[in-house]
Amino acid sequence: VEDRIFRFNGAATSLVASGSALNGPKISDALEAWTGLTEDGSELFIRRDGVLSQITDNDVEDLEVALDGDMASWLSGTDIMLYRLDCGDDVDEDGADAEHDNCPDLYNPNQSNSDGDDLGDVCDPDDDNDGSSDYQDNCPWVYNPAQADVDGVQDGALCGPDADGDRFLAVAYGGNDCDDRDAQVVPWWQVEIVSPIPASGETPRIYGDNVVWPGAHQGVDQIFLYDQQILNQLTSGGSQKSNPAIHEGVIVWEEDDGNDLEIVRYSDDHLEQISDNDFDDRKPSVGNWGTAWYGNTGSSYEIFVNDGNETSQITLNGLNDYHPRVGNDFVIWRMFDGHDYEIYLFRNGAIEALTDTDIDEDTPFADGGAATWSAHDGQDFEVFYWDGSQTVQLTDNDLDDTD
């Protein structure tokens, strides 16, 4: 049986005509990725700018990938891997490595520092020392005393988001160009190992520049965070930790307290247990709205949430509610209603059913203000999409559309 990967952007487009055991497709603004079975085992494939590449070719299993922006992370054997654009240790290509560079993100090869403080001249209040303060300078990090502005948008003729036209935005505009004055100096794609100790076998989670995963340390699974600069071990002690999730600066996971599994949150260098009961709390999800998870109350599985201040149980139906996902202003999950599985939503303090069919709906996935899931229509699985107000069926074919 051959698998195919599809992307929907107004219409379903096949990205791979066929392949063996294609699994876990993911999409971000810059990348599309999945794993596929080759003669050597499961390998990682990434598509960027319309070009498909096999990223790994090794003798270990490369498993489900996580994406955000232009970064990918996955489990390769027992290693956590990272695929990203990089300029090396000398980010600004000025000849001074980041540890000793007095302006590590800005090009200043002479390292001049006229006032003798910790910042070089180019990252002082007048970053470029052209006589115009940053608040008035139309190009605050490039020397332009004449304040030339050829296009009238007040970004200076010498700078702008991509002054050298190499399609990589300048650091000051949230990009990762190594030198925005030279189109030949660009970041390159590289693969690196970020876990010095064996990972526990779970898929890493990624948000922005941060990757989080559980790893075995002295026989106990702890939570690790890599932020492209340093590796942080967030937890210690003898209790097992698993299933971390991350959004912005908040990380949540489940942890064995000696009696059952509870949910723990890490934020602003502070650890807090946000569930406290006598049953297992599982599979947390975190987003703008807060944190959600499901708990086995003994008679049923129910949904619990924490909005950043307090924890509450939002379902009490005696049915089984599973796998919540958090969006911008909602929580979505899968519930068995006594006949089949349906999709339910918690928003503005109320619960509503998104589906009411005679078919089984699969686990939903949320991103921003939207959600998607697959469901069996009696013949095969199809993909459904909720845009925040209505649900539409994206596929209608004789294939199983899943994941």
Side-chain angles (χ1 to χ4, degrees):
V1 176
E2 295 288 296
D3 296 330
R4 287 188 282 176
I5 300 293
F6 289 85
R7 173 176 179 167
F8 187 89
N9 185 15
T13 302
S14 179
L15 303 183
V16 179
S18 64
S20 297
L22 303 179
N23 287 309
K26 298 293 188 298
I27 187 171
S28 69
D29 293 339
L31 305 172
E32 295 141 350
W34 56 87
T35 59
L37 188 63
T38 70
E39 292 180 355
D40 297 323
S42 179
E43 305 290 355
L44 177 67
F45 295 82
I46 287 182
R47 184 176 182 267
R48 70 173 191 271
D49 297 328
V51 178
L52 177 63
S53 303
Q54 181 177 332
I55 303 302
T56 62
D57 185 8
N58 51 44
D59 57 1
V60 299
E61 294 296 300
D62 295 278
L63 301 178
E64 186 174 352
V65 64
L67 297 183
D68 193 42
D70 57 10
M71 289 178 54
S73 185
W74 69 98
L75 181 67
S76 179
T78 60
D79 292 321
I80 299 296
M81 309 297 294
L82 190 63
Y83 175 79
R84 63 181 173 118
L85 285 166
D86 188 51
C87 295
D89 291 335
D90 181 13
V91 174
D92 53 11
E93 294 284 321
D94 62 5
D97 65 82
E99 182 179 356
H100 302 98
D101 196 333
N102 60 18
C103 282
D105 293 325
L106 294 174
Y107 184 82
N108 61 335
N110 61 12
Q111 296 287 283
S112 62
N113 187 5
S114 58
D115 56 8
D117 61 8
D118 293 333
L119 298 176
D121 287 339
V122 298
C123 51
D124 266 345
D126 178 11
D127 288 347
D128 52 12
N129 285 337
D130 62 2
S132 298
S133 70
D134 291 343
Y135 298 104
Q136 299 173 326
D137 198 330
N138 66 9
C139 197
W141 64 95
V142 177
Y143 184 81
N144 63 335
Q147 295 289 283
D149 183 22
V150 296
D151 56 10
V153 297
Q154 298 302 311
D155 62 1
L158 298 180
C159 56
D162 184 17
D164 57 7
D166 61 7
R167 298 177 60 195
F168 292 95
L169 297 185
V171 173
Y173 282 85
N176 47 21
D177 200 351
C178 304
D179 185 349
D180 208 43
R181 287 151 296 220
D182 188 344
Q184 302 302 311
V185 181
V186 297
W188 61 90
W189 292 97
Q190 70 172 23
V191 175
E192 61 182 296
I193 300 175
V194 299
S195 55
I197 63 174
S200 67
E202 295 180 18
T203 301
R205 303 302 177 190
I206 188 169
Y207 187 90
D209 294 338
N210 299 320
V211 182
V212 63
W213 70 91
H217 180 61
Q218 298 179 345
V220 177
D221 283 348
Q222 307 291 353
I223 302 298
F224 291 85
L225 171 67
Y226 180 74
D227 65 4
Q228 289 202 60
Q229 297 180 354
I230 58 175
L231 177 65
N232 302 278
Q233 181 176 329
L234 302 184
T235 62
S236 59
S239 60
Q240 298 285 353
K241 294 88 176 173
S242 59
N243 290 312
I246 182 171
H247 181 79
E248 295 183 345
V250 179
I251 302 169
V252 294
W253 61 87
E254 58 188 55
E255 181 170 335
D256 190 341
D257 68 357
N259 297 307
D260 50 55
L261 297 175
E262 304 292 351
I263 305 300
V264 177
R265 178 177 60 206
Y266 170 87
S267 179
D268 297 326
D269 295 324
H270 176 67
L271 288 174
E272 179 185 5
Q273 182 177 318
I274 59 176
S275 72
D276 187 9
N277 48 52
D278 57 0
F279 51 79
D280 283 339
D281 297 280
R282 300 296 312 275
K283 302 292 182 68
S285 172
V286 63
N288 284 342
W289 186 88
T291 305
W293 63 93
Y294 69 92
N296 182 358
T297 64
S299 59
S300 62
Y301 291 90
E302 305 291 350
I303 304 297
F304 296 79
V305 297
N306 182 284
D307 62 3
N309 297 308
E310 62 181 3
T311 294
S312 58
Q313 181 177 341
I314 62 172
T315 64
L316 186 59
N317 50 35
L319 302 172
N320 286 324
D321 302 87
Y322 298 103
H323 303 118
R325 299 290 188 267
V326 179
N328 281 348
D329 60 353
F330 65 88
V331 179
I332 191 171
W333 68 92
R334 181 187 191 217
M335 187 193 80
F336 186 73
D337 65 2
H339 302 285
D340 51 37
Y341 285 96
E342 304 291 351
I343 302 298
Y344 277 75
L345 179 79
F346 177 77
R347 181 170 56 173
N348 298 326
I351 294 176
E352 58 184 289
L354 286 188
T355 65
D356 184 11
T357 66
D358 294 325
I359 61 176
D360 277 334
E361 322 287 334
D362 211 341
T363 300
F365 295 89
D367 186 32
T372 186
W373 62 89
S374 61
H376 200 280
D377 64 1
Q379 303 296 324
D380 50 46
F381 281 94
E382 305 292 350
V383 175
F384 294 79
Y385 174 76
W386 177 73
D387 65 3
S389 60
Q390 63 179 347
T391 299
V392 296
Q393 183 175 334
L394 297 186
T395 63
D396 186 9
N397 51 46
D398 56 0
L399 305 173
D400 276 331
D401 299 285
T402 58
D403 288 338

